[in-house]
Amino acid sequence: MAKKELPEINVAAAHADWQGQECSRVTTPSGQVVHIDSPAYAGGTPKGPAPTEMMMCAYAGATGMLLYRITQGMGVAIHSLQVDARGTYSPRGIAGMEGYHPRYTQVEVDIRIRTDASPEQMEKIKADRRRRCPVHSVLAASGAEMKENWTVSA
């Protein structure tokens, strides 16, 4: 299969329609729909994930997507893959309380992969994931302490 020509730049977009209280119905240009809401303790209903949860969804999902792309490009098989992402932040910062910031202070990802990759290939895969993942780049640039825990098996 021939490789597609990738554009030099792309614009990601989303449109949100307020649904009342703290809930919005968000649609992407590709037609995907998700409801974003606050957790109940913060006044949400909750009809969907909170924005902070969506960031962790994006990080976990992007990690899996990129690991697949990277290993496919290397001719390495993935037999199973699970990714858990967690971010620590202060709800007080989101609430606007003085002295608190709303950004993540720490982000941790647990990656469990069963693969045929050699130890040398795994080091390249790990480095490429950090270098190529747009969500990792945004979170790291925010100043969050980035941690990753890998469990690799054959």
Side-chain angles (χ1 to χ4, degrees), residues 45-107:
T45 34
K47 294 179 182 169
T52 50
E53 293 170 321
M54 287 301 297
M55 287 287 291
M56 293 302 102
C57 289
Y59 191 36
T63 294
M65 220 170 56
L66 274 168
L67 288 172
Y68 174 77
R69 284 184 185 179
I70 293 164
T71 56
Q72 287 294 293
M74 296 171 70
V76 171
I78 293 177
H79 303 293
S80 67
L81 175 63
Q82 294 86 39
V83 180
D84 293 308
R86 294 174 301 287
T88 304
Y89 66 97
S90 174
R92 293 176 181 185
I94 295 170
M97 294 177 71
E98 194 67 35
Y100 295 92
H101 197 283
R103 72 173 179 83
Y104 290 102
T105 54
Q106 182 184 77
V107 175

Side-chain angles (χ1 to χ4, degrees), residues 37 73 89 111:
D37 201 351
Y89 66 97
I111 302 165

